Coordinates of all heavy atoms in Angstrom, one line a residue:
M1 N 30.1 5.6 -0.8 CA 28.7 6.0 -1.0 C 27.8 5.1 -0.2 O 28.0 3.9 -0.1 CB 28.4 5.9 -2.5 CG 27.2 6.6 -2.9 SD 27.4 8.4 -2.7 CE 25.8 9.0 -3.0
I2 N 26.8 5.7 0.4 CA 25.9 4.9 1.3 C 24.7 4.4 0.5 O 24.3 5.2 -0.4 CB 25.5 5.7 2.5 CG1 24.7 6.9 2.2 CG2 26.6 6.0 3.4 CD1 24.0 7.6 3.4
D3 N 24.2 3.3 0.8 CA 23.0 2.8 0.2 C 21.8 3.1 1.2 O 21.6 2.4 2.1 CB 23.1 1.3 -0.1 CG 21.9 0.7 -0.8 OD1 21.1 1.5 -1.3 OD2 21.7 -0.5 -0.8
K4 N 21.1 4.2 0.9 CA 20.1 4.7 1.8 C 19.0 3.7 2.0 O 18.5 3.5 3.1 CB 19.6 6.0 1.2 CG 18.7 6.8 2.1 CD 18.4 8.2 1.5 CE 17.6 9.0 2.4 NZ 17.3 10.3 1.9
K5 N 18.5 3.1 0.9 CA 17.4 2.1 1.0 C 17.8 0.9 1.9 O 17.0 0.5 2.7 CB 17.0 1.6 -0.3 CG 16.3 2.6 -1.1 CD 15.8 2.1 -2.5 CE 15.1 3.2 -3.3 NZ 14.6 2.7 -4.5
Q6 N 19.0 0.5 1.9 CA 19.5 -0.6 2.7 C 19.5 -0.2 4.2 O 19.1 -1.0 5.0 CB 20.9 -1.1 2.2 CG 21.4 -2.3 2.9 CD 20.5 -3.5 2.7 OE1 20.0 -3.7 1.6 NE2 20.3 -4.3 3.8
V7 N 20.0 1.0 4.4 CA 20.1 1.5 5.8 C 18.7 1.5 6.4 O 18.4 1.2 7.5 CB 20.8 2.8 5.9 CG1 20.7 3.4 7.3 CG2 22.3 2.7 5.5
I8 N 17.7 2.0 5.6 CA 16.3 2.2 6.0 C 15.7 0.8 6.3 O 15.1 0.6 7.4 CB 15.5 3.0 5.0 CG1 16.0 4.4 5.0 CG2 14.0 2.9 5.4 CD1 15.3 5.3 3.9
T9 N 15.9 -0.1 5.5 CA 15.3 -1.5 5.6 C 15.9 -2.2 6.8 O 15.3 -3.0 7.5 CB 15.4 -2.3 4.4 OG1 16.8 -2.4 4.0 CG2 14.6 -1.8 3.3
D10 N 17.2 -2.0 7.1 CA 17.9 -2.6 8.2 C 17.4 -2.1 9.6 O 17.4 -2.8 10.5 CB 19.4 -2.4 8.1 CG 20.0 -3.2 7.0 OD1 19.4 -4.1 6.5 OD2 21.2 -2.9 6.7
N11 N 16.9 -0.8 9.6 CA 16.6 -0.2 10.9 C 15.1 0.1 11.0 O 14.7 0.6 12.1 CB 17.4 1.0 11.1 CG 18.9 0.7 11.2 OD1 19.3 0.2 12.2 ND2 19.6 1.0 10.2
A12 N 14.3 -0.2 10.0 CA 12.9 0.2 10.1 C 12.1 -0.8 11.0 O 12.5 -2.0 11.1 CB 12.3 0.2 8.7
K13 N 11.1 -0.3 11.6 CA 10.2 -1.1 12.5 C 9.2 -1.9 11.6 O 8.8 -2.9 12.0 CB 9.5 -0.3 13.5 CG 10.5 0.4 14.5 CD 9.7 1.3 15.4 CE 10.7 2.1 16.3 NZ 10.1 3.1 17.1
G14 N 8.8 -1.3 10.5 CA 7.8 -1.9 9.7 C 8.1 -1.6 8.2 O 9.2 -1.0 7.9
A15 N 7.2 -2.0 7.3 CA 7.5 -1.8 5.9 C 7.4 -0.4 5.5 O 8.2 0.0 4.5 CB 6.4 -2.6 5.1
T16 N 6.6 0.4 6.1 CA 6.5 1.8 5.7 C 7.2 2.8 6.6 O 7.1 4.0 6.5 CB 5.0 2.3 5.6 OG1 4.5 2.1 6.9 CG2 4.3 1.4 4.6
D17 N 8.0 2.3 7.5 CA 8.8 3.1 8.5 C 10.0 3.7 7.8 O 11.0 3.0 7.5 CB 9.1 2.3 9.7 CG 10.0 3.1 10.7 OD1 9.9 4.4 10.7 OD2 10.7 2.5 11.5
T18 N 10.0 5.0 7.5 CA 11.2 5.6 6.9 C 11.6 6.8 7.8 O 12.7 7.4 7.4 CB 10.9 6.1 5.5 OG1 9.8 7.0 5.5 CG2 10.6 5.0 4.6
G19 N 10.9 7.2 8.8 CA 11.3 8.5 9.5 C 11.3 8.3 11.0 O 11.4 9.4 11.7
S20 N 11.3 7.1 11.5 CA 11.4 7.0 13.0 C 12.8 7.4 13.4 O 13.7 7.6 12.6 CB 11.1 5.5 13.4 OG 12.2 4.7 12.9
T21 N 12.9 7.7 14.7 CA 14.1 8.1 15.3 C 15.3 7.2 15.0 O 16.4 7.6 14.7 CB 14.0 8.4 16.8 OG1 12.8 9.2 17.0 CG2 15.2 9.0 17.4
A22 N 15.0 5.9 15.1 CA 16.1 4.9 14.9 C 16.6 4.9 13.4 O 17.8 4.9 13.2 CB 15.5 3.5 15.2
V23 N 15.7 5.1 12.5 CA 16.1 5.2 11.1 C 16.9 6.5 10.8 O 17.9 6.5 10.1 CB 14.8 5.1 10.1 CG1 15.2 5.4 8.7 CG2 14.2 3.8 10.3
Q24 N 16.4 7.6 11.4 CA 17.2 8.9 11.3 C 18.5 8.8 11.8 O 19.5 9.2 11.2 CB 16.4 10.0 11.9 CG 15.1 10.3 11.3 CD 14.4 11.5 12.0 OE1 15.0 12.5 12.3 NE2 13.1 11.3 12.2
V25 N 18.7 8.1 13.0 CA 20.0 8.0 13.6 C 20.9 7.1 12.7 O 22.1 7.4 12.5 CB 19.9 7.4 15.0 CG1 21.2 7.1 15.6 CG2 19.3 8.5 15.9
A26 N 20.3 6.0 12.2 CA 21.1 5.1 11.3 C 21.6 5.8 10.1 O 22.7 5.7 9.6 CB 20.3 3.9 11.0
L27 N 20.7 6.6 9.4 CA 21.1 7.4 8.3 C 22.2 8.4 8.6 O 23.2 8.6 7.8 CB 19.9 8.1 7.6 CG 18.9 7.2 6.9 CD1 17.7 7.9 6.5 CD2 19.6 6.6 5.7
L28 N 22.0 9.1 9.7 CA 23.1 10.1 10.1 C 24.4 9.3 10.4 O 25.5 9.9 10.0 CB 22.6 10.9 11.3 CG 21.6 12.0 11.1 CD1 21.1 12.5 12.4 CD2 22.3 13.1 10.3
S29 N 24.3 8.2 11.0 CA 25.6 7.4 11.3 C 26.3 7.0 10.0 O 27.5 7.1 9.9 CB 25.2 6.2 12.1 OG 24.7 6.6 13.4
A30 N 25.5 6.6 9.0 CA 26.1 6.2 7.7 C 26.8 7.5 7.1 O 27.9 7.4 6.5 CB 25.1 5.7 6.8
R31 N 26.1 8.6 7.1 CA 26.7 9.8 6.6 C 27.9 10.2 7.3 O 28.9 10.7 6.7 CB 25.7 11.0 6.6 CG 24.6 10.8 5.5 CD 23.6 11.9 5.5 NE 24.3 13.2 5.2 CZ 23.7 14.4 5.4 NH1 22.5 14.5 5.9 NH2 24.4 15.5 5.0
I32 N 27.9 10.1 8.6 CA 29.0 10.5 9.5 C 30.3 9.6 9.2 O 31.4 10.1 9.0 CB 28.7 10.4 11.0 CG1 27.8 11.6 11.3 CG2 29.9 10.3 11.9 CD1 27.1 11.5 12.7
N33 N 30.0 8.3 9.0 CA 31.1 7.4 8.7 C 31.7 7.6 7.4 O 32.9 7.6 7.2 CB 30.6 5.9 8.8 CG 30.3 5.5 10.2 OD1 30.7 6.1 11.2 ND2 29.4 4.5 10.3
N34 N 30.8 8.0 6.4 CA 31.3 8.3 5.0 C 32.1 9.5 5.0 O 33.2 9.6 4.4 CB 30.1 8.4 4.1 CG 30.5 8.5 2.7 OD1 31.5 8.1 2.3 ND2 29.6 9.1 1.9
L35 N 31.6 10.6 5.8 CA 32.4 11.9 5.8 C 33.7 11.7 6.6 O 34.7 12.3 6.3 CB 31.5 12.9 6.4 CG 32.0 14.4 6.4 CD1 32.3 14.8 5.0 CD2 30.9 15.3 6.9
A36 N 33.7 10.9 7.6 CA 34.9 10.7 8.4 C 36.0 10.0 7.6 O 37.2 10.3 7.7 CB 34.6 9.9 9.7
A37 N 35.6 9.1 6.7 CA 36.5 8.5 5.8 C 37.1 9.5 4.8 O 38.3 9.4 4.5 CB 35.9 7.3 5.1
H38 N 36.3 10.4 4.3 CA 36.7 11.4 3.4 C 37.7 12.3 4.1 O 38.7 12.7 3.5 CB 35.5 12.2 2.9 CG 35.9 13.5 2.3 ND1 36.4 13.6 1.0 CD2 35.8 14.8 2.7 CE1 36.6 14.9 0.7 NE2 36.2 15.6 1.8
L39 N 37.4 12.7 5.4 CA 38.3 13.6 6.1 C 39.6 13.0 6.5 O 40.5 13.7 6.8 CB 37.5 14.2 7.3 CG 36.4 15.2 6.9 CD1 35.6 15.5 8.2 CD2 36.9 16.4 6.2
A40 N 39.6 11.7 6.5 CA 40.9 11.0 6.9 C 41.9 11.3 5.8 O 43.1 11.4 6.1 CB 40.7 9.5 7.0
T41 N 41.5 11.4 4.6 CA 42.4 11.6 3.4 C 42.5 13.1 3.1 O 43.5 13.5 2.5 CB 42.0 10.8 2.2 OG1 40.7 11.2 1.8 CG2 42.1 9.4 2.5
N42 N 41.5 13.9 3.4 CA 41.5 15.3 3.1 C 41.4 16.1 4.4 O 40.4 16.7 4.8 CB 40.3 15.6 2.2 CG 40.3 14.9 0.9 OD1 41.1 15.1 0.1 ND2 39.4 13.9 0.8
K43 N 42.6 16.3 5.0 CA 42.6 16.8 6.3 C 42.3 18.3 6.3 O 41.9 18.9 7.3 CB 44.0 16.6 7.0 CG 44.3 15.1 7.2 CD 45.5 14.9 7.9 CE 45.9 13.5 8.0 NZ 44.9 12.5 8.3
K44 N 42.5 19.0 5.2 CA 42.3 20.5 5.2 C 40.9 20.9 4.7 O 40.7 22.1 4.5 CB 43.4 21.1 4.3 CG 44.8 21.0 4.8 CD 45.8 21.8 4.1 CE 47.1 21.7 4.7 NZ 48.1 22.6 4.0
D45 N 40.0 20.0 4.6 CA 38.7 20.2 4.2 C 37.9 20.8 5.4 O 37.2 20.1 6.1 CB 38.0 19.0 3.6 CG 36.6 19.3 3.1 OD1 36.2 20.4 3.1 OD2 36.0 18.3 2.6
K46 N 38.0 22.1 5.6 CA 37.4 22.7 6.8 C 35.8 22.7 6.7 O 35.2 22.6 7.7 CB 37.9 24.2 6.9 CG 39.4 24.3 7.1 CD 39.8 23.5 8.4 CE 41.3 23.6 8.6 NZ 41.8 22.7 9.6
A47 N 35.3 22.9 5.5 CA 33.8 22.9 5.3 C 33.3 21.4 5.6 O 32.3 21.3 6.2 CB 33.5 23.2 3.9
G48 N 34.1 20.4 5.2 CA 33.7 19.1 5.6 C 33.7 18.8 7.1 O 32.9 18.1 7.6
Q49 N 34.7 19.4 7.7 CA 34.8 19.2 9.2 C 33.7 19.9 9.9 O 33.1 19.3 10.8 CB 36.2 19.9 9.7 CG 37.4 19.1 9.3 CD 38.7 19.8 9.7 OE1 38.6 20.8 10.4 NE2 39.8 19.3 9.2
R50 N 33.2 21.0 9.4 CA 32.1 21.7 10.0 C 30.8 20.9 9.7 O 30.0 20.7 10.6 CB 31.9 23.1 9.4 CG 30.8 23.9 10.0 CD 30.7 25.3 9.5 NE 29.7 26.0 10.2 CZ 28.4 26.0 10.0 NH1 27.9 25.2 9.0 NH2 27.5 26.7 10.7
G51 N 30.7 20.3 8.6 CA 29.6 19.5 8.3 C 29.5 18.2 9.2 O 28.4 17.8 9.6
L52 N 30.7 17.7 9.4 CA 30.7 16.5 10.3 C 30.3 16.9 11.7 O 29.6 16.2 12.4 CB 32.2 16.0 10.4 CG 32.4 14.7 11.2 CD1 31.6 13.6 10.7 CD2 33.9 14.4 11.3
Q53 N 30.7 18.1 12.2 CA 30.3 18.5 13.5 C 28.8 18.7 13.6 O 28.1 18.4 14.6 CB 31.0 19.8 13.9 CG 32.5 19.6 14.2 CD 33.2 20.9 14.5 OE1 32.7 22.0 14.2 NE2 34.4 20.9 15.1
L54 N 28.2 19.3 12.5 CA 26.7 19.5 12.5 C 26.0 18.2 12.5 O 25.0 18.0 13.2 CB 26.3 20.3 11.3 CG 26.8 21.8 11.2 CD1 26.5 22.4 9.9 CD2 26.1 22.5 12.4
L55 N 26.5 17.2 11.7 CA 25.8 15.9 11.7 C 26.0 15.2 13.1 O 25.0 14.6 13.5 CB 26.5 15.0 10.6 CG 26.2 15.4 9.2 CD1 27.0 14.5 8.2 CD2 24.8 15.3 8.9
N56 N 27.1 15.3 13.7 CA 27.3 14.7 15.0 C 26.3 15.3 16.1 O 25.8 14.7 16.9 CB 28.7 14.9 15.5 CG 29.6 13.8 15.1 OD1 29.1 12.6 14.9 ND2 30.9 14.1 14.9
G57 N 26.2 16.7 16.0 CA 25.2 17.3 16.9 C 23.8 16.9 16.7 O 23.0 16.6 17.6
Q58 N 23.4 16.8 15.4 CA 22.0 16.3 15.1 C 21.8 14.9 15.6 O 20.8 14.6 16.2 CB 21.8 16.4 13.6 CG 20.4 15.9 13.2 CD 19.3 16.9 13.6 OE1 19.6 18.1 13.7 NE2 18.2 16.4 13.9
R59 N 22.8 14.0 15.4 CA 22.7 12.6 15.9 C 22.6 12.6 17.4 O 21.8 11.8 18.0 CB 23.8 11.8 15.3 CG 23.7 10.3 15.7 CD 24.7 9.5 15.2 NE 26.0 9.7 15.8 CZ 27.2 9.0 15.5 NH1 27.1 8.1 14.7 NH2 28.3 9.3 16.1
R60 N 23.4 13.4 18.0 CA 23.4 13.5 19.5 C 22.1 13.9 20.0 O 21.6 13.3 21.0 CB 24.5 14.4 20.0 CG 24.7 14.4 21.5 CD 25.8 15.3 22.0 NE 26.9 15.6 21.0 CZ 27.1 16.8 20.5 NH1 26.3 17.8 20.8 NH2 28.0 17.1 19.6
R61 N 21.4 14.9 19.4 CA 20.1 15.4 19.9 C 19.1 14.3 19.7 O 18.2 14.0 20.5 CB 19.7 16.6 19.1 CG 20.5 17.8 19.6 CD 19.9 19.1 19.0 NE 19.9 19.2 17.6 CZ 21.0 19.6 16.8 NH1 22.1 20.1 17.5 NH2 20.9 19.7 15.5
L62 N 19.1 13.6 18.5 CA 18.2 12.5 18.3 C 18.4 11.3 19.3 O 17.4 10.7 19.8 CB 18.3 12.0 16.9 CG 17.7 12.8 15.8 CD1 18.1 12.3 14.4 CD2 16.2 12.8 15.9
L63 N 19.6 11.0 19.6 CA 19.9 9.9 20.6 C 19.4 10.3 22.0 O 18.9 9.5 22.7 CB 21.4 9.6 20.5 CG 21.8 8.7 19.4 CD1 23.3 8.6 19.4 CD2 21.2 7.4 19.4
K64 N 19.6 11.6 22.3 CA 19.1 12.1 23.6 C 17.6 11.9 23.7 O 17.1 11.5 24.7 CB 19.6 13.5 23.8 CG 19.3 14.0 25.3 CD 19.5 15.5 25.4 CE 20.9 15.9 25.3 NZ 21.0 17.4 25.7
Y65 N 16.9 12.3 22.6 CA 15.5 12.1 22.6 C 15.1 10.7 22.7 O 14.2 10.3 23.5 CB 14.9 12.7 21.3 CG 13.5 12.3 21.0 CD1 12.4 13.0 21.7 CD2 13.1 11.3 20.1 CE1 11.1 12.6 21.5 CE2 11.8 11.0 19.9 CZ 10.8 11.6 20.6 OH 9.5 11.2 20.4
L66 N 15.7 9.8 22.0 CA 15.4 8.4 22.0 C 15.7 7.8 23.4 O 14.9 7.0 23.9 CB 16.2 7.6 20.9 CG 15.9 6.2 20.7 CD1 14.5 6.0 20.2 CD2 16.8 5.6 19.7
E67 N 16.7 8.3 24.0 CA 17.1 7.8 25.4 C 16.0 8.2 26.4 O 15.6 7.4 27.3 CB 18.4 8.4 25.9 CG 18.9 7.9 27.2 CD 20.1 8.6 27.7 OE1 20.5 9.6 27.1 OE2 20.7 8.1 28.6
R68 N 15.4 9.4 26.2 CA 14.3 9.9 27.1 C 13.1 9.1 26.9 O 12.3 8.8 27.8 CB 14.0 11.3 26.8 CG 14.8 12.3 27.7 CD 14.2 13.7 27.6 NE 13.5 14.0 26.4 CZ 14.0 14.7 25.4 NH1 15.3 15.1 25.4 NH2 13.3 15.0 24.3
T69 N 12.7 8.8 25.6 CA 11.4 8.2 25.3 C 11.4 6.7 25.3 O 10.4 6.1 25.7 CB 10.9 8.7 23.9 OG1 11.9 8.4 23.0 CG2 10.7 10.2 24.0
N70 N 12.4 6.1 24.8 CA 12.4 4.6 24.7 C 13.8 4.1 25.0 O 14.6 3.9 24.1 CB 11.9 4.2 23.4 CG 11.6 2.7 23.3 OD1 12.0 1.9 24.2 ND2 11.0 2.3 22.2
Y71 N 14.1 3.9 26.3 CA 15.5 3.5 26.7 C 16.0 2.2 26.1 O 17.1 2.1 25.7 CB 15.6 3.5 28.2 CG 17.0 3.4 28.7 CD1 17.9 4.5 28.5 CD2 17.5 2.3 29.3 CE1 19.2 4.5 28.9 CE2 18.8 2.2 29.7 CZ 19.7 3.3 29.5 OH 21.0 3.2 29.9
D72 N 15.1 1.2 26.0 CA 15.5 -0.1 25.5 C 15.9 0.0 24.0 O 16.8 -0.6 23.6 CB 14.3 -1.1 25.7 CG 14.1 -1.4 27.2 OD1 15.0 -1.2 28.0 OD2 12.9 -1.7 27.5
E73 N 15.1 0.7 23.3 CA 15.4 0.9 21.8 C 16.7 1.7 21.7 O 17.5 1.4 20.8 CB 14.3 1.6 21.1 CG 14.4 1.8 19.7 CD 13.3 2.5 19.0 OE1 12.3 2.8 19.6 OE2 13.5 2.7 17.8
Y74 N 17.0 2.6 22.6 CA 18.2 3.4 22.6 C 19.4 2.5 22.8 O 20.4 2.5 22.0 CB 18.2 4.5 23.6 CG 19.5 5.1 24.0 CD1 20.0 6.1 23.1 CD2 20.1 4.8 25.1 CE1 21.2 6.7 23.4 CE2 21.3 5.4 25.5 CZ 21.9 6.4 24.6 OH 23.1 6.9 24.9
I75 N 19.3 1.6 23.7 CA 20.4 0.6 24.0 C 20.6 -0.3 22.8 O 21.8 -0.5 22.4 CB 20.1 -0.2 25.3 CG1 20.0 0.7 26.5 CG2 21.1 -1.3 25.5 CD1 21.4 1.3 26.9
A76 N 19.6 -0.8 22.3 CA 19.7 -1.7 21.2 C 20.3 -1.0 19.9 O 21.2 -1.6 19.2 CB 18.3 -2.3 20.8
L77 N 19.8 0.2 19.7 CA 20.3 0.9 18.5 C 21.8 1.3 18.7 O 22.6 1.1 17.7 CB 19.5 2.2 18.3 CG 19.9 3.0 17.0 CD1 19.6 2.2 15.8 CD2 19.1 4.3 17.0
T78 N 22.2 1.8 19.8 CA 23.6 2.1 20.0 C 24.6 0.9 20.0 O 25.7 1.0 19.5 CB 23.9 2.9 21.3 OG1 23.3 2.1 22.4 CG2 23.2 4.3 21.3
D79 N 24.0 -0.2 20.4 CA 24.8 -1.5 20.3 C 25.0 -1.9 18.8 O 26.0 -2.3 18.4 CB 24.2 -2.6 21.1 CG 24.4 -2.4 22.6 OD1 25.3 -1.6 23.0 OD2 23.7 -3.0 23.4
K80 N 23.8 -1.8 18.1 CA 23.8 -2.2 16.7 C 24.7 -1.3 15.8 O 25.5 -1.8 15.0 CB 22.4 -2.1 16.2 CG 22.3 -2.6 14.8 CD 20.8 -2.6 14.3 CE 20.7 -3.0 12.9 NZ 19.2 -3.0 12.5
L81 N 24.7 0.0 16.1 CA 25.5 0.9 15.3 C 26.9 1.2 15.8 O 27.6 1.9 15.2 CB 24.7 2.2 15.1 CG 23.4 2.2 14.4 CD1 22.7 3.5 14.4 CD2 23.6 1.7 13.0
K82 N 27.2 0.6 17.0 CA 28.5 0.7 17.7 C 28.8 2.2 17.9 O 29.8 2.7 17.6 CB 29.6 0.1 16.8 CG 29.5 -1.4 16.6 CD 30.6 -1.9 15.8 CE 30.4 -3.4 15.6 NZ 29.4 -3.8 14.7
I83 N 27.8 2.8 18.6 CA 27.9 4.2 19.0 C 28.2 4.2 20.5 O 27.5 3.5 21.3 CB 26.6 5.0 18.7 CG1 26.4 5.0 17.2 CG2 26.7 6.4 19.2 CD1 25.0 5.6 16.8
R84 N 29.1 5.0 21.0 CA 29.4 5.1 22.4 C 28.3 5.8 23.1 O 27.7 6.8 22.5 CB 30.7 5.8 22.7 CG 31.9 5.0 22.3 CD 33.2 5.7 22.6 NE 33.3 6.8 21.7 CZ 34.1 7.9 21.9 NH1 34.9 7.9 22.9 NH2 34.2 8.8 21.0
R85 N 27.9 5.4 24.3 CA 26.9 6.0 25.0 C 27.5 6.8 26.2 O 28.5 6.5 26.7 CB 25.9 5.0 25.7 CG 25.2 4.2 24.7 CD 24.1 3.3 25.4 NE 24.7 2.2 26.1 CZ 24.8 1.0 25.7 NH1 24.5 0.7 24.5 NH2 25.4 0.1 26.4
G86 N 26.7 7.9 26.5 CA 27.1 8.7 27.7 C 26.4 8.1 28.9 O 25.9 7.1 28.9
Q87 N 26.5 8.9 30.0 CA 25.8 8.5 31.2 C 24.3 8.7 31.0 O 23.8 9.6 30.3 CB 26.3 9.2 32.4 CG 27.8 8.9 32.7 CD 28.2 9.7 33.9 OE1 27.5 10.6 34.4 NE2 29.4 9.4 34.3
R88 N 23.5 7.8 31.7 CA 22.1 7.9 31.5 C 21.5 9.2 32.2 O 21.9 9.6 33.3 CB 21.4 6.7 32.2 CG 19.9 6.7 32.0 CD 19.3 5.4 32.4 NE 17.9 5.5 32.1 CZ 17.0 4.6 32.5 NH1 17.4 3.6 33.2 NH2 15.7 4.7 32.2
I89 N 20.6 9.8 31.5 CA 19.9 11.0 32.1 C 18.8 10.5 33.1 O 17.9 9.7 32.7 CB 19.2 11.8 30.9 CG1 20.3 12.3 29.9 CG2 18.5 13.0 31.5 CD1 19.7 12.8 28.7
V90 N 18.9 11.0 34.3 CA 17.9 10.6 35.3 C 17.1 11.8 35.6 O 17.7 12.8 36.1 CB 18.6 10.0 36.5 CG1 17.5 9.7 37.6 CG2 19.4 8.8 36.2
R91 N 15.8 11.8 35.4 CA 14.9 12.9 35.7 C 13.7 12.4 36.5 O 13.2 11.4 36.3 CB 14.5 13.6 34.5 CG 15.6 14.3 33.8 CD 15.2 15.2 32.7 NE 16.4 15.8 32.2 CZ 16.5 16.3 31.0 NH1 15.5 16.2 30.1 NH2 17.6 16.9 30.6

């Protein structure tokens, strides 16, 4: 089980920051890690596998947005959460 308040305080920019992109990515990462641990023991949970794919897609979209808007924060967040990065988008 994840401690949502702890994840928010660890990744918030300020005292009232609960919805920034970094906080959303951190919450999704905690849910993904929790679900991945569940699926390691319950391999036939197809609904759980679909949920994991949806969470991964949402996190990927948020990370792509963060990479476009604030690259330095993107680098710091992916290093902190130990998320692999793709190649940089150059536009």
Side-chain angles (χ1 to χ4, degrees):
M1 195 70 190
I2 61 172
D3 185 14
K4 192 173 182 179
K5 289 183 182 180
Q6 184 63 38
V7 172
I8 290 173
T9 55
D10 290 345
N11 296 287
K13 295 177 187 172
T16 59
D17 177 25
T18 57
S20 68
T21 308
V23 172
Q24 291 181 47
V25 169
L27 286 171
L28 282 171
S29 295
R31 288 181 63 195
I32 287 170
N33 292 337
N34 190 22
L35 190 53
H38 164 76
L39 290 173
T41 58
N42 300 289
K43 298 185 187 317
K44 293 189 177 186
D45 186 2
K46 300 301 180 186
Q49 290 174 8
R50 182 176 188 277
L52 181 63
Q53 289 176 344
L54 292 174
L55 290 175
N56 271 329
Q58 181 68 31
R59 184 176 71 174
R60 188 179 333 111
R61 287 190 298 273
L62 283 169
L63 284 170
K64 190 191 287 188
Y65 167 78
L66 189 61
E67 182 184 16
R68 267 194 334 261
T69 56
N70 191 348
Y71 190 71
D72 294 332
E73 185 180 351
Y74 166 76
I75 294 294
L77 183 66
T78 52
D79 287 343
K80 181 178 181 180
L81 298 176
K82 297 179 179 76
I83 299 173
R84 287 181 292 165
R85 294 189 291 265
Q87 295 181 351
R88 183 170 184 191
I89 300 170
V90 178
R91 290 187 179 157

